[in-house]
Every structure is written in C-alpha cells, then in structure tokens.
Amino acid sequence: MNIILALISGFGGALVGAFLSGRVIAYAHYLKNQKLEREREARTLLNLFQALKSELDALWSAYQALVGEELERLDKAEELTFAGIISASQHYFGVYDNSAQMLGILDPDSGKRLIDTYVNLKLYFDELNAYQRLNCKHQDVRLKSNVNLYEAKEVRQEYENFFTYLKKRHFQVKGLVLGTLDMLKEFISLGEQARTSVTFKI
C-alpha cells in the first residue's frame, strides 16, 4: 500500500511539476514575445522619425533655395523672383501622408506639433502658388495696351498686401519646421542611444 501511495504521490508530483514548469516556460515565452514586440515598435518609430526628418529637411531646404532666402532678404514685392514653386498637390509629402495613422502613437503634444507643421507647410506652398498666380495677373494688367487704372491699382494693392502676408507666414512656418526638425532629431538621438529599448512619451 505504501508503494502505491508513493507511486501516486510521485506521479502526482511529476504532473504538478510538469504543469508548473510548462506555465513558467509559457510565461517566459510570453515575456520574450512582449520584449520583441516592443523592440519592433521602437525600430518602426525610429525609422518613421528618420524618414519624416529626411522628408521635412529636404522640402525645407528646397523651399529655402527656391524662395525662402530671397523672401527673407527682400522688402518689395516686385523684387521677388520665383525660380520655381513647390506644389503641395505633388507627392513631396509621401512619408507623412502614408504614415499619418502612426502619429497617434506619439504623445498628444508631439503629434499635434508634427501635424501642425505639415499642414501649415502644405498650406504655405499653396499660398505661394496663389501668390505666383497673382504675380502673373499683376504683370498682365501692367502690360495691357489700354490699362484700367482702377483695376491696376487694385491688383497692385492686393499684390503688395499678399507679399507682406507671405513674409509673415514664411517666418511662422520657418519656426514650426525648425522646431519640428529639432524634435525629430531629439527622438532619433534617444532612439539610437537606447537602440533596442527605445522609450518615447507615448
């Protein structure tokens, strides 16, 4: 009888031990998967930040070379010459447009800052195109053979007011872009320092 009891208790102990060790192994596997998932998310975010920074930096550099530097320097509308215009309707904002759903992962302030910057930059590019069209209209009115002085004066005033507005908008958008680039640089730096355990305010 003692042998049977010993066999039953040994067998029961083995079953309990197997069950507990199986649970421990399953929990360890779960923790490992959780860690791998966090690392994957961190790498994805780091890649997103690097791509957004590259895109925003390239757009801002192109804009500055085409218009921005000249706009900062000039005081009169007629002195501004456009070498070309960046249109928001083009696919220059591909990284942002295709990853906007991921911005919800960021803390509200960082997400809002990034969205504000991109929306304002797109609007500003459209405003530059509107100014270019107004510039063409201004030139057409001036070159007409029978100039309507009232119309010419109105177009001239609108043209000059728009130029003043563009200068103000330029500095507003510049502040947003440079601030956002600094924020993205900081995120990238934190991500590269931590490498596999990136922690962002999410």
Side-chain angles (χ1 to χ4, degrees), residues 149-173:
L149 293 177
Y150 177 76
E151 181 188 7
K153 183 180 176 187
E154 287 293 310
V155 170
R156 174 78 182 171
Q157 189 61 52
E158 186 181 357
Y159 177 63
E160 288 175 355
N161 290 345
F162 206 148
F163 176 79
T164 303
Y165 168 78
L166 277 184
K167 280 191 71 105
K168 288 179 187 171
R169 279 286 284 152
H170 164 81
F171 288 108
Q172 177 194 20
V173 172

Side-chain angles (χ1 to χ4, degrees), residues 42-146:
R43 277 192 308 275
T44 301
L45 275 176
L46 183 58
N47 291 341
L48 173 64
F49 295 146
Q50 289 170 334
L52 285 170
K53 183 190 169 298
S54 295
E55 177 178 71
L56 195 55
D57 204 17
L59 283 168
W60 188 251
S61 296
Y63 158 75
Q64 279 291 92
L66 291 172
V67 182
E69 292 170 359
E70 192 176 359
L71 189 58
E72 287 180 16
R73 204 175 52 246
L74 301 176
D75 293 321
K76 293 182 180 176
E78 60 271 3
E79 295 174 345
L80 183 62
T81 57
F82 285 94
I85 301 297
I86 299 171
S87 173
S89 62
Q90 297 301 318
H91 299 290
Y92 301 123
F93 299 92
V95 173
Y96 173 80
D97 291 340
N98 292 319
S99 60
Q101 74 278 1
M102 291 184 67
L103 301 180
I105 296 172
L106 300 175
D107 69 282
D109 289 339
S110 299
K112 181 182 181 311
R113 188 176 186 178
L114 199 57
I115 291 166
D116 280 350
T117 299
Y118 268 91
V119 168
N120 273 283
L121 189 58
K122 287 180 173 191
L123 286 171
Y124 184 62
F125 287 168
D126 287 339
E127 290 166 347
L128 284 170
N129 288 317
Y131 179 78
Q132 181 67 6
R133 288 189 296 275
L134 185 58
N135 182 30
C136 291
K137 181 179 176 184
H138 176 252
Q139 288 176 0
D140 289 347
V141 167
R142 282 187 13 221
L143 296 174
K144 278 185 183 176
S145 56
N146 54 351

Side-chain angles (χ1 to χ4, degrees), residues 17-32:
F19 176 76
L20 289 177
S21 65
R23 298 295 273 170
V24 168
I25 290 170
Y27 185 68
H29 187 66
Y30 167 78
L31 290 178
K32 183 179 179 185

